């Protein structure tokens, strides 16, 4: 234990405390997906803004109050609702390029099981993205970067000695 001395003026009764959060409704996936579809239809080109699904879905799902911690439960719908067609095309381009990185590793006979395992990880994330949205969590980006880095290493193979400066997909 450490000794401590507290000094200063005593607090009066006017101190404000924060009340606990109000109970909210936890909508199911279908209701969230429907709200996302309505949001996409209402804002098709630029969406409602990145990470704004959680702040806007209540109006589209008919929920008051809406819990601001809820996501669309679909990575793809979340991107389209937040970024519209512009965000969807950018995300599609990213997925296409990632697939391009994975393809050579799968075709290399020397890579074998390692390349298959490395390719399976992003595929699992892509499939899981159909029923969950996890793009707003920072540590997930580290996982994505590692998966794609491993995929590039598998595609290049063990004999590549150019120091990582000339990779082409």
């Amino acid at each position: 234990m450490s000794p401590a001395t507290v000094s200063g003026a005593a607090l009066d009764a006017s101190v404000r405390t924060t009340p606990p959060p109000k109970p909210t409704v936890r909508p199911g996936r279908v209701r969230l997906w429907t709200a996302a579809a309505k949001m996409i239809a209402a804002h098709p080109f630029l969406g409602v803004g990145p990470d704004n699904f959680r702040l806007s879905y209540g109006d589209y799902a008919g929920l008051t109050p809406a819990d601001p911690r809820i996501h669309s439960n679909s990575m793809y719908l979340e991107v389209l609702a937040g970024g519209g067609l512009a965000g969807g095309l950018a995300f599609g381009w990213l997925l296409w390029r990632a697939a391009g990185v994975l393809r050579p590793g799968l075709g290399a006979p020397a890579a074998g099981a390692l390349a298959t395992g490395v390719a399976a990880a992003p595929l699992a994330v892509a499939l899981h993205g159909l029923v969950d949205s996890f793009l707003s969590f920072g540590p997930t980006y580290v996982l994505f970067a590692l998966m794609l880095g491993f995929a590039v290493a598998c595609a290049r193979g063990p004999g590549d000695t150019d120091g990582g400066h000339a990779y082409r997909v």
Side-chain angles (χ1 to χ4, degrees), residues 48-74:
V48 294
D51 195 33
N52 279 338
F53 174 87
R54 63 188 184 84
L55 303 174
S56 306
Y57 80 93
D59 294 337
Y60 295 91
L63 296 172
T64 53
D67 188 345
R69 300 169 295 177
I70 300 287
H71 294 276
S72 68
N73 279 294
S74 171

Side-chain angles (χ1 to χ4, degrees), residues 98-127:
V101 167
L102 295 171
R103 247 181 273 119
L106 288 173
L114 178 63
T116 303
V118 168
L123 180 61
V125 168
L127 289 173

Side-chain angles (χ1 to χ4, degrees), residues 118-135:
V118 168
L123 180 61
V125 168
L127 289 173
H128 184 74
L130 292 169
V131 294
D132 197 2
S133 179
F134 37 77
L135 292 178

Side-chain angles (χ1 to χ4, degrees), residues 12-129:
D12 59 17
S14 66
V15 174
R16 300 170 96 184
T17 60
T18 304
K22 296 178 182 176
T24 59
V25 175
R26 297 279 181 160
R29 279 193 172 97
V30 173
R31 193 166 191 184
L32 292 169
W33 292 343
T34 302
K38 290 178 181 178
M39 212 177 281
I40 294 165
H43 305 277
F45 299 111
L46 297 176
V48 294
D51 195 33
N52 279 338
F53 174 87
R54 63 188 184 84
L55 303 174
S56 306
Y57 80 93
D59 294 337
Y60 295 91
L63 296 172
T64 53
D67 188 345
R69 300 169 295 177
I70 300 287
H71 294 276
S72 68
N73 279 294
S74 171
M75 177 171 63
Y76 306 104
L77 289 175
E78 186 88 23
V79 168
L80 288 169
L85 185 59
L89 288 173
F91 190 61
W93 176 84
L94 174 68
L95 295 176
W96 178 256
R97 296 298 292 176
V101 167
L102 295 171
R103 247 181 273 119
L106 288 173
L114 178 63
T116 303
V118 168
L123 180 61
V125 168
L127 289 173
H128 184 74

